[in-house]
Amino acid sequence: RMESLPDTVLIRILAAIPAVDLVLVCRLVCCQWKNLVDGAALWMLKCQQEGLTREESDAENWQNFYFLSKKKRNLIKNPCGEEDLEHWGEVENGGDGWKIEALPGDFGKEFPSEEVHKYFVTSYDWCRKAQVIDLRAEGYWEELMDTTQPKIMVRDWYAGRSDAGCLYELCVKLLSENEDVLAEYKSETITIPQDNDASWTEISHTFSNYGPGVRFVRFEHGGQDTLFWKGWYGVRVTNSSVTVEP
């Protein structure tokens, strides 16, 4: 009989069950199972079994750590222009507008990662584009966002071409249900001089302790060239990412 088994044995049995079933089904079986599913030991074991490591000292909620680790991925869709401008909204096409080019491009450099093959490039007037991430639709439930408030890490990469100067900006907002701004990161307007080495630069920001109510992340970036040359001599951007960290 299951109820006569010691907790340590039960935990080993429960650890073999998919996490979602543990929370939605097993938790409801009886008080003993509920306590085990709500406790740390079961989730520590599941983390161990699946190679998810963390410092013992910052072990607050092993269940949330497990789910966040399993869900961790880039929430930006089409970050490198492989699907043209698909998934990017509120597009501002100044000058000749946005264009997608293959790396390294004219007067450009290869990207630090071999997995990135394309980039978006701006023109002689401001080009901007944005993407809004719906955290609930991506599996980050309200209580998790409100109570745990996991860190939200934002990254972007930009470069100029070595024969043209350009400007670059990044603005990321954490929004509530009604799209009120609860936290915001705005880079300065970054100027790349005309005789630059065309190398790629990463910019990043981590949101933490942002308070309850965050439901959306709005990521916007853009730029232009500073010479007003017809065509696509402005800043190049690629490999943008937004991740919810365990």
Side-chain angles (χ1 to χ4, degrees):
R1 288 166 59 87
M2 290 288 268
E3 57 264 38
S4 60
L5 291 173
D7 281 0
T8 49
V9 177
L10 249 179
I11 282 169
R12 293 210 163 270
I13 295 168
L14 290 171
I17 295 168
V20 174
D21 296 332
L22 285 174
V23 174
L24 297 181
V25 182
C26 300
R27 217 176 152 267
L28 309 178
V29 171
C30 62
C31 281
Q32 184 191 15
W33 283 33
K34 178 181 183 296
N35 291 336
L36 292 179
V37 173
D38 289 349
L42 170 60
W43 298 99
M44 282 172 73
L45 179 59
K46 277 189 88 63
C47 287
Q48 264 172 4
Q49 288 174 343
E50 298 183 39
L52 308 174
T53 55
R54 71 189 293 197
E55 293 297 317
E56 196 77 45
S57 56
D58 52 63
E60 274 191 32
N61 188 323
W62 280 90
Q63 183 178 333
N64 281 354
F65 174 78
Y66 177 86
F67 278 107
L68 285 168
S69 299
K70 298 293 281 186
K71 280 182 191 302
K72 186 178 171 181
R73 64 199 187 284
N74 185 4
L75 300 176
I76 292 273
K77 296 176 173 67
N78 185 27
C80 306
E82 295 290 350
E83 303 167 75
D84 203 52
L85 280 167
E86 191 71 30
H87 304 295
W88 291 96
E90 300 172 68
V91 178
E92 188 180 324
N93 279 311
D96 288 322
W98 285 98
K99 189 185 179 195
I100 287 97
E101 294 179 348
L103 279 153
D106 293 340
F107 295 89
K109 277 209 176 139
E110 285 292 357
F111 192 76
S113 160
E114 288 177 10
E115 289 152 27
V116 179
H117 305 290
K118 293 183 177 181
Y119 57 82
F120 302 90
V121 57
T122 59
S123 189
Y124 59 85
D125 207 349
W126 271 97
C127 296
R128 288 186 177 87
K129 60 188 177 70
Q131 205 170 122
V132 177
I133 296 159
D134 181 337
L135 292 167
R136 273 173 307 196
E138 297 292 346
Y140 298 97
W141 59 97
E142 294 181 8
E143 188 195 359
L144 177 77
M145 297 309 300
D146 294 348
T147 309
T148 305
Q149 291 173 35
K151 289 187 170 75
I152 298 174
M153 181 89 173
V154 177
R155 294 186 180 90
D156 200 18
W157 288 83
Y158 64 90
R161 21 185 310 159
S162 58
D163 63 341
C166 60
L167 305 174
Y168 165 82
E169 279 181 7
L170 171 67
C171 179
V172 185
K173 297 174 180 177
L174 305 187
L175 306 175
S176 71
E177 182 76 52
N178 307 319
E179 302 196 0
D180 299 319
V181 179
L182 301 179
E184 180 175 12
Y185 168 75
K186 198 174 193 315
S187 74
E188 57 190 349
T189 302
I190 295 165
T191 304
I192 300 174
Q194 183 167 358
D195 296 316
N196 70 87
D197 66 0
S199 61
W200 287 92
T201 302
E202 184 184 38
I203 182 171
S204 67
H205 177 75
T206 303
F207 290 98
S208 58
N209 303 318
Y210 40 76
V214 171
R215 300 294 176 261
F216 302 96
V217 180
R218 185 182 185 278
F219 179 104
E220 178 186 291
H221 61 181
Q224 66 169 95
D225 79 25
T226 49
L227 302 167
F228 305 99
W229 288 349
K230 185 159 176 55
W232 295 274
Y233 292 85
V235 75
R236 300 165 169 186
V237 293
T238 195
N239 207 33
S240 313
S241 68
V242 172
T243 51
V244 179
E245 301 285 318

